[in-house]
Amino acid sequence: MEVPVYYCIGNHDLVKGKYGEELFESIYGPVYYSFDAGNTHYIVTPMWGGDYRPGYTKEDVYHWLKNDLAQIPEGKPIVVFNHDYWTSGDRHVFSAGKGMDIDLDAHNLKAWVYGHVHINHITRHGNALAICTSTLARGGIDHATSAFRKIGMDSKGNISSELRYAYIDKSIVIASAQNEQAPVTKDGKLQVSVNTYSTVTQTAKVTYAVYMEDKAVTPQRSMTRQTDFNWTDAVKLPAECEGRTVTLKATATFKNGETARAESFFTYTSTPVEVKTGDNWTNLGGNPQHVAVTKDTLNLPIRLAWVKNMGSNVYMTSPIVVDGKVFAATMDENIQGKSSVTAMDATDGSLCWKYSTRSSVKNTIVSAQGLIFAQDIWGYLYAIDAKSGKLAWEKKLDVAVVPGLEDGLAANETTVFAGARKGLVALDARTGREIWKNSSWSQREGTTCTLSLSPDEDVLIGSVQWGAMYANDARTGKLLWAKSEDGIRFRSSSPSMHDGAMYFLSESSLFVLSEKTGEVLAVKKLPFSVEATSSPLVTRREIIFGTAGEGIVALDRKTLDIKWKYRTGKAMIYTSPYTNGEMAQVESTPVLSGDMVIVGASDGTFYAVNRKNGSLMWRHKTGSPILTTVAVSGKTFFGTDFSGNIYCFKAE
C-alpha cells in the first residue's frame, strides 16, 4: 500500500534460536524502538515472554524507555504499542522492579494499542485509551468480527477510531423489500431500509426511487444514515400504486466514487400489517434453559410488518418480548456514546424509550419482575423499568474491564444471574440484593457464552474460554463440578437444558452431559467445526444447530447421525474463532415453531427450514450479518441484524 509498516513482537514470535527474538529480528528488525509521525511520538515495546525466553529483560527496556522519553519535548503526545496490555487500572506505570518505574501518563500518553486477546475492545484508563483489535483475516477468540481499525490523531494527539469489517465489496441490499412485499407505516408511508457496506471506503450517500411500469412515481430521494451499514427513509406513494406491482431501485455511492445498485419489486398496499403479540419471551431461546421451542405455531406466508433501526450495531444481543414491547441492545466499537437498551412498541416499531449504557452490550439481555436487565463490557449491570425506561437499580460487577464482560445473562421469575468468573453473582431481580457470589473459578480471554439454568432451577452453567465449563448451585453459588477435557474448554455454545441433560457444541463435537454431575452421556464427533455460539435445538427426533462453516445441521436424536444439512450463504463477516474463507457461519440458535425452524445466519439472511428434512420454506435477506436469535410471541417473531435493525415478521 506504499505506506510504512511497523512490527510489534508477540508471544508466539518468540521462537527457538540463540534467543527468542532472533528470527523476528532477522526478518523485521528491532523489538523495541520509537519513531515520530506528525505531532505524535510512537513507542513500540516488546512482549515479556512467550513460547521461548527473550534475550532482553524488563530492566533493559526500562533504561531504553527512560532515555527515549527524556528526548521528547514536554507535552508531546505519545502512543505505545505492545502485543499485550499491562494494566487494567487507571494509571499506566511501566515497572521493571524496585525503583525502576516510569509514569507514562505523566508523559502525555494518549493510547495503548494491543492485540494479545484477539478481541475488538476499547476502554478508557484515566486520560488514555486502551485499544485492542482482533485479527482482520478471521474471527477472534471471543467471536470478534474479522476487522481492522483505522485510528486518526489530530495535532493535539486526540484520537478518533473506526472499525472496518473485512471482505465486504460494495454490498447493497434493500432490507425492507423482499419476497414481493414491503411494510408501510400507520399513516401509509412505504418504509425503506437499505443495508450497504464496502470494506475499503465509507458510504457517502444512498438514493432511491420507486417505479411503476418503468415510470418513476417518486423523485430520487436521499436516505438518512443510521449506522455504518444502514440507511432509512419513508415515502408516501400515489394512490394509483395501490395493489399494483412497483419496483424500488436504490444506489449507494461510496467515498472513493464507486457505486452499488439494488432493486426489488413488490405489491404495494397502504394498509399496514396488523401485529398482536402473545406470551413473553424473556431469555435467549425464550427461557433460561434456552429450549427455543414456541407454544404458537407459525405458518406461511410470513410478512415483514415493520423494520426500525436503533442507531448502532447489534452483536449477539438477541431481542426479547415483554408485555407488547420488543427490547434489544446495541454496541459501540468506537466508544462514541451510542450503546443503549431500546424498547419499541411491538405493533408498529415506534420508539417507547432508549436507555444509554456506559459501553457496549454484547450479549443476552433478560427480563424479570417488570425489569429489563443488560450488562455492558465494562461490568455494569442495569435494571431498567420495562414500562418507563427509567433505571430501577444498577450494580458494578466485580470483573476486570480487560478483556471485557461479554457473557450473556439468565433470569428466572425472581433472580437474575450476571457477571462472570469471581464476579459471577445471583441477585434479587427486584432489588439488586446479592444472594451469592462465585468464589470458585476465574476467567481468561473473552467468553461469549450465555449462562444456562436447569429446568428445576438448581444448576447454573457458566464458562471460561480456554478454561472449563462450570456448574454452580443456582441457590447457593457452591461449585458442583467443572469439565475441561475433550475440547470442552474451547466451548462457545450455551447449553440447552432438557430433563437432566444439557446439549452444547464445542470444537467439532456435540456433547450431552448430566447437568447434576457433569458426566458425559454422549459425544458426537463431527467432520466439521462447530465453534459457533449456537445452542442446540432439541426436538422429539432431531438435534439442530448452527456451525462455523456448514450452515445448519440436524442430527437424528437417537443415533446422532447427520440427518440433514442446509448450507447457508458465505458469511459477510467472520466471527467463529480462526475461521475465514468460504464459510457458511451460523452463530444464532434455531427456534422451533411447529415444523418450522427459524434461524438467522452470518450471510445476512433469516431462514425458515423444515424440521424434518431441512428444506427451505422461507427466507428474508437483510444485507447485514445476523448473529442473534429470533424471539417469538404469538404469530409474530422479531429478529435483529448487525446493522442495528429490528425486524417484525407476522406469520399466519
Side-chain angles (χ1 to χ4, degrees):
M1 293 185 290
E2 298 181 350
V3 296
V5 176
Y6 298 92
Y7 295 92
C8 188
I9 193 168
N11 52 311
H12 297 309
D13 299 319
L14 293 165
V15 298
K16 189 175 182 179
K18 294 178 183 178
Y19 49 92
E21 70 274 24
E22 179 188 22
L23 179 62
F24 185 95
E25 286 181 337
S26 71
I27 300 171
Y28 302 117
V31 297
Y32 48 98
Y33 56 93
S34 65
F35 59 93
D36 285 348
N39 193 43
T40 302
H41 184 63
Y42 296 90
I43 302 170
V44 175
T45 54
M47 192 74 171
W48 300 131
D51 295 348
Y52 285 82
R53 181 176 296 179
Y56 51 83
T57 66
K58 281 190 177 183
E59 186 174 346
D60 294 333
V61 179
Y62 166 79
H63 290 298
W64 170 83
L65 183 58
K66 184 177 181 180
N67 180 65
D68 181 83
L69 291 171
Q71 318 306 314
I72 307 306
E74 184 177 353
K76 186 170 186 174
I78 66 170
V79 173
V80 173
F81 291 84
N82 188 284
H83 184 68
D84 202 1
Y85 186 53
W86 294 348
T87 182
S88 60
D90 287 336
R91 305 295 296 169
H92 295 84
V93 178
F94 171 71
S95 180
K98 189 175 182 180
M100 291 186 289
D101 294 337
I102 300 175
D103 185 350
L104 293 169
D105 294 304
H107 291 272
N108 198 19
L109 179 71
K110 291 295 186 180
W112 186 288
V113 184
Y114 67 107
H116 181 57
V117 289
H118 298 228
I119 62 177
N120 296 322
H121 190 52
I122 301 183
T123 51
R124 181 173 291 281
H125 302 255
N127 294 320
L129 293 176
I131 304 173
C132 182
T133 301
S134 184
T135 169
L136 63 86
R138 60 196 70 188
I141 289 174
D142 69 338
H143 295 248
T145 53
S146 52
F148 59 92
R149 187 171 292 282
K150 182 179 177 182
I151 301 174
M153 300 192 69
D154 65 16
S155 60
K156 297 181 180 179
N158 297 314
I159 289 176
S160 61
S161 175
E162 179 192 3
L163 201 65
R164 301 294 300 172
Y165 305 105
Y167 300 121
I168 304 176
D169 183 23
K170 300 185 292 296
S171 172
I172 182 171
V173 171
I174 303 171
S176 58
Q178 296 285 319
N179 300 309
E180 302 181 26
Q181 178 259 331
V184 294
T185 62
K186 286 193 293 188
D187 56 359
K189 289 185 177 180
L190 176 71
Q191 285 189 284
V192 184
S193 180
V194 171
N195 282 329
T196 180
Y197 194 88
S198 190
T199 297
V200 300
T201 185
Q202 290 183 332
T203 308
K205 65 177 181 178
V206 179
T207 59
Y208 76 96
V210 179
Y211 298 81
M212 186 171 64
E213 297 179 350
D214 296 326
K215 175 186 175 183
V217 295
T218 69
Q220 283 288 328
R221 293 175 60 91
S222 295
M223 303 186 71
T224 301
R225 178 194 293 274
Q226 302 294 335
T227 64
D228 51 5
F229 270 83
N230 187 252
W231 298 68
T232 63
D233 192 40
V235 61
K236 186 78 171 180
L237 298 188
E240 64 198 61
C241 295
E242 187 73 34
R244 304 282 298 277
T245 297
V246 299
T247 301
L248 193 157
K249 298 181 181 181
T251 301
T253 303
F254 301 100
K255 287 190 174 180
N256 63 359
E258 295 181 322
T259 59
R261 293 178 173 82
E263 63 179 66
S264 185
F265 67 91
F266 54 92
T267 301
Y268 171 70
T269 173
S270 59
T271 304
V273 176
E274 184 177 353
V275 173
K276 183 179 180 181
T277 57
D279 293 339
N280 290 340
W281 187 276
T282 59
N283 283 255
L284 173 68
N287 46 65
Q289 294 78 38
H290 315 316
V291 171
V293 177
T294 71
K295 295 179 180 178
D296 299 292
T297 300
L298 305 180
N299 298 305
L300 299 177
I302 296 172
R303 297 190 65 194
L304 178 63
W306 55 262
V307 55
K308 293 292 178 68
N309 193 274
M310 293 181 286
S312 193
N313 299 106
V314 174
Y315 184 53
M316 294 185 175
T317 311
S318 300
I320 59 175
V321 182
V322 180
D323 297 337
K325 294 187 181 72
V326 56
F327 302 86
T330 63
M331 67 172 183
D332 179 4
E333 297 282 31
N334 302 316
I335 60 169
Q336 297 176 339
K338 295 183 178 180
S339 324
S340 67
V341 179
T342 298
M344 292 182 176
D345 188 312
T347 62
D348 60 9
S350 57
L351 180 67
C352 297
W353 52 258
K354 177 179 284 192
Y355 185 89
S356 295
T357 56
R358 292 174 176 85
S359 60
S360 296
V361 179
K362 285 196 166 185
N363 215 321
T364 306
I365 61 174
V366 295
S367 177
Q369 297 289 308
L371 302 174
I372 306 300
F373 299 92
Q375 63 186 14
D376 67 23
I377 58 172
W378 293 355
Y380 288 91
L381 175 67
Y382 306 87
I384 308 166
D385 185 273
K387 292 182 179 179
S388 67
K390 294 181 179 179
L391 186 68
W393 55 265
E394 71 174 17
K395 182 179 179 66
K396 177 63 175 73
L397 302 169
D398 187 16
V399 296
V401 296
V402 175
L405 180 60
E406 296 189 35
D407 306 59
L409 302 172
N412 59 19
E413 292 184 359
T414 61
T415 308
V416 59
F417 300 92
R421 44 191 176 264
K422 293 185 179 179
L424 173 66
V425 291
L427 304 172
D428 181 278
R430 185 175 58 83
T431 66
R433 176 183 61 85
E434 185 176 297
I435 300 171
W436 56 257
K437 183 178 180 181
N438 173 50
S439 61
S440 302
W441 47 277
S442 302
Q443 186 102 0
R444 290 182 41 152
E445 284 79 5
T447 300
T448 326
C449 294
T450 289
L451 297 166
S452 299
L453 188 65
S454 62
D456 60 9
E457 301 188 349
D458 284 343
V459 181
L460 181 74
I461 303 296
S463 180
V464 169
Q465 176 69 16
W466 287 14
M469 171 185 281
Y470 296 95
N472 287 64
D473 187 305
R475 303 184 191 277
T476 67
K478 179 183 176 181
L479 180 66
L480 299 175
W481 53 264
K483 204 82 172 175
S484 61
E485 59 267 31
D486 302 319
I488 293 176
R489 65 189 291 260
F490 299 108
R491 177 179 69 92
S492 304
S493 170
S494 306
S496 56
M497 317 281 276
H498 301 264
D499 301 323
M502 44 190 283
Y503 298 73
F504 63 92
L505 309 168
S506 191
E507 281 197 321
S508 58
S509 298
L510 169 80
F511 289 86
V512 186
L513 267 62
S514 165
E515 66 189 36
K516 301 293 186 184
T517 67
E519 176 189 359
V520 177
L521 304 177
V523 180
K524 175 64 176 180
K525 183 77 172 177
L526 299 164
F528 44 78
S529 171
V530 286
E531 277 295 310
T533 56
S534 182
S535 297
L537 167 65
V538 180
T539 75
R540 291 184 313 243
R541 296 182 176 87
E542 299 88 16
I543 304 171
I544 305 169
F545 48 84
T547 69
E550 296 295 321
I552 311 160
V553 174
L555 306 183
D556 184 282
R557 186 173 177 180
K558 289 184 178 179
T559 67
L560 297 186
D561 293 333
I562 295 176
K563 186 173 181 179
W564 54 258
K565 291 167 58 175
Y566 182 87
R567 188 175 179 88
T568 56
K570 174 186 173 182
M572 296 184 68
I573 296 175
Y574 296 105
T575 52
S576 292
Y578 308 118
T579 57
N580 60 9
E582 298 292 326
M583 305 294 283
Q585 290 186 3
V586 176
E587 297 269 32
S588 63
T589 295
V591 174
L592 180 67
S593 175
D595 284 333
M596 184 185 294
V597 177
I598 305 168
V599 65
S602 296
D603 65 354
T605 305
F606 291 105
Y607 293 92
V609 298
N610 188 286
R611 170 189 66 82
K612 298 177 182 178
N613 56 25
S615 60
L616 179 66
M617 301 175 70
W618 167 90
R619 66 183 171 190
H620 183 102
K621 295 181 180 180
T622 73
S624 180
I626 300 165
L627 307 175
T628 54
T629 300
V630 301
V632 183
S633 180
K635 295 290 186 179
T636 306
F637 66 94
F638 302 86
T640 55
D641 68 13
F642 193 81
S643 80
N645 273 349
I646 300 183
Y647 300 84
C648 172
F649 295 101
K650 172 69 179 302
E652 291 300 318

